[in-house]
Amino acid sequence: MTQIEVTVNGAAQQIDVEPRLLLVHLIREDLQLTGTHIGCDTTHCGACTVLLDGVPVKSCTVFAVQANGSEVTTVEGLEQDGALHPVQQGFTEEHGLQCGFCTPGMMLTSVALLEQNQDPSEDEVRQAISGNLCRCTGYVNIVKSVQHAGRVIREG
């Protein structure tokens, strides 16, 4: 066992982990944050995407020990003090989800995009989310959701 220190959704954690434990399993099983989904275990679907120090990563291919000393944000960490994050608002208002399985990864990828570019074009949104597969939608409402969130952020 290896002890790691990681901040998850703003809360500092000291956890003993097996060196081969994947970050997605630490999040889901040890921390009980089940919004991070396991879809493929091969980085193809993006359902397990979280932010690692602000960068979207597919947590099914990151060892928990690699997050030592880092900050992890899951979909549960987007909502603050009872208020939805603008991306969560956008997905709600623009109907950016259907089954919801890909939504947490899509949202976290979108948060990272909007940190860099608050007014992304359709092509820029599609490029940013290209590593996140949605099997239910045609991505049109997902793009609208992200652009809606950008407008909310820009307007303060």
Side-chain angles (χ1 to χ4, degrees), residues 7-11 33 71-78 80:
T7 301
V8 180
N9 298 332
L33 298 171
E71 185 169 329
V72 174
T73 303
T74 69
V75 71
E76 292 92 346
L78 294 181
Q80 296 293 313

Side-chain angles (χ1 to χ4, degrees), residues 15 19 41 82 113 116 118 150:
I15 307 163
D41 282 329
L113 168 65
Q116 302 297 314
Q118 295 177 354

